[in-house]
């Protein structure tokens, strides 16, 4: 059983950013944490659930079926979070796992094309598609000015041989949010698979896949889903499942009459009819226990409330930084990532702009955790963020 005491779903919106929520995250007692875009900080209920797993392991007090109940629970809760059926969710290790699962299973033929805005994507949404070029497909690079995904340019590049479009829901830098409804509607009309790298938005922005016409969504629990590294989810729309044949297969992905992981039967097999056909071997059980508790917390607060909270704070932070004269990136659609500086004026952890390095150093010295990506100073907000966090940043960068 989960040890989580979730925030109740009927709690009012002010619960986000409240002391009750912040008290769940011990790191906030000593730091201003604005780096959810890099990695999460653990909430006490999440850590407690992992400790339950470790205790069970140490005491041999649970069997495989007992442990894997947490996998089932977390899969079910993530499905609820994004408004889909449990049969459309597979448990993965990370985003790379999810994207590669689709890339290798997708029925691509020589001469087909895949659309990607290379200048807006994380490398883990680029290399899988570069690798697929060995199958004779065309990888079409759609220009991304200042790191922005141009939906109209993506649509203009589609033709009769376009099979798939892969984009981030929110780019890791500069924090541009993709219009999934507009892009998804165009893909759906043409029968094109729309795959989303959702790691920067899952658990923070509201997703309802009944309203967002996407076909695949890969994410990890290591950021906004408030869990551990090495655990994540892949959504595959039910209408596509029979058309996607996994390249790798294990007992986990095969239909069988029982749940005995060592039962072979005869040599004939049938892949599972649901998204679990993409699951391989043993699960990251610690990650499952963590996800079970973390999803209770997120579902209790509600992603509509979390999104409203973080977008309000992000806008206040952008406006404050602009008043101080900083070159703030303004996304076309409101997002919870706030970035400062020129895209690609530097790289991972450094900027060629001395001012960006100075701001980052000041924040670090003041106990404010931020990152530099693609040369930009980057900050990300979640349900535990509050106005005191915003003031801490503005006071720090605004002092002479």
């Amino acid at each position: 059983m989960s040890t989580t005491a979730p925030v109740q779903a009927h709690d009012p919106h002010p619960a986000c950013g409240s002391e009750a929520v912040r008290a769940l995250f011990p790191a906030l007692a000593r730091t201003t944490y604005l780096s959810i875009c890099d990695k999460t900080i653990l909430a006490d209920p999440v850590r407690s659930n992992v400790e339950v797993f470790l205790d069970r392991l140490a005491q041999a007090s649970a069997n495989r079926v007992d442990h894997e109940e947490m996998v089932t629970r977390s899969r079910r809760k993530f499905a609820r979070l994004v408004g889909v059926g449990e049969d459309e969710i597979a448990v993965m290790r990370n985003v790379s796992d999810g994207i590669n699962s689709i890339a290798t299973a997708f029925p691509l033929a020589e001469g087909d094309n895949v659309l990607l805005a290379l200048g807006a994507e994380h490398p883990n949404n680029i290399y899988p598609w570069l690798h697929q070029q060995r199958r004779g497909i065309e990888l079409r690079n759609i220009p991304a000015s200042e790191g922005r995904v141009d939906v109209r340019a993506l649509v203009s590049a589609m033709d009769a041989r376009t099979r798939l479009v892969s984009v981030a829901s929110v780019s890791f830098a500069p924090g541009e949010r993709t219009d999934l409804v507009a892009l998804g509607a165009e893909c759906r009309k043409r029968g094109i698979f729309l795959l989303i790298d959702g790691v920067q938005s899952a658990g923070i922005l509201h997703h309802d896949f009944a309203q967002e016409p996407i076909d695949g969504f890969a994410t990890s629990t290591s950021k906004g889903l408030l869990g551990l590294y090495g655990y994540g989810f892949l959504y595959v729309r039910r209408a596509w499942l029979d058309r996607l044949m996994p390249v790798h297969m294990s007992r986990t992905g095969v239909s069988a009459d029982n749940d005995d992981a060592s039962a072979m039967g005869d040599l004939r097999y049938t892949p599972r009819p649901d998204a679990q056909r993409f699951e391989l071997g043993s699960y990251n059980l610690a990650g499952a226990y963590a996800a079970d508790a973390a999803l209770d917390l997120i579902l209790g607060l509600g992603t509509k409330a979390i999104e409203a909270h973080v977008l309000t704070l992000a806008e206040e932070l952008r406006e404050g930084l602009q008043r101080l004269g900083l070159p703030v990136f303004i996304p076309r659609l409101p997002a919870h990532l706030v970035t400062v500086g020129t895209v690609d004026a530097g790289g991972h952890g450094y900027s060629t702009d001395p001012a960006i390095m100075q701001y980052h150093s000041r924040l670090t010295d003041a106990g404010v955790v931020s990152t530099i990506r693609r040369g930009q100073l980057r900050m990300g907000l979640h349900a535990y963020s509050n106005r005191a966090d915003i003031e801490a940043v503005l006071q720090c960068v605004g002092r002479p």
Side-chain angles (χ1 to χ4, degrees), residues 310-331:
V310 297
L311 295 188
T312 296
L313 291 180
E315 184 59 25
E316 291 179 9
L317 180 55
R318 288 191 195 95
E319 290 177 353
L321 293 170
Q322 283 182 302
R323 286 195 300 270
L324 293 172
L326 275 67
V328 181
F329 177 82
I330 306 299

Side-chain angles (χ1 to χ4, degrees), residues 194-215:
L194 178 58
L195 176 62
I196 304 301
D197 169 358
V199 74
Q200 292 292 353
S201 63
I204 304 174
L205 302 182
H206 180 66
H207 284 291
D208 180 355
F209 297 159
Q211 304 299 320
E212 297 169 310
I214 69 176
D215 302 297

Side-chain angles (χ1 to χ4, degrees), residues 7 11-26 28 41-45 226 297 300-301 306 309 382-385:
V7 177
D11 282 359
H13 166 68
C16 291
S18 68
E19 287 306 311
V21 170
R22 290 176 63 83
L24 298 176
F25 297 86
L28 299 180
I41 47 175
L42 283 186
D44 284 337
L226 303 176
L297 175 58
L301 290 168
I306 295 173
H309 176 72
H382 206 333
Y384 49 72
S385 304

Side-chain angles (χ1 to χ4, degrees), residues 221-244:
T221 59
S222 62
K223 299 183 193 291
L225 289 176
L226 303 176
L228 300 182
Y229 285 104
Y231 200 80
F233 302 99
L234 173 67
Y235 159 71
V236 183
R237 187 163 67 95
R238 192 175 293 113
W240 277 96
L241 282 168
D242 287 341
R243 289 181 272 177
L244 301 176

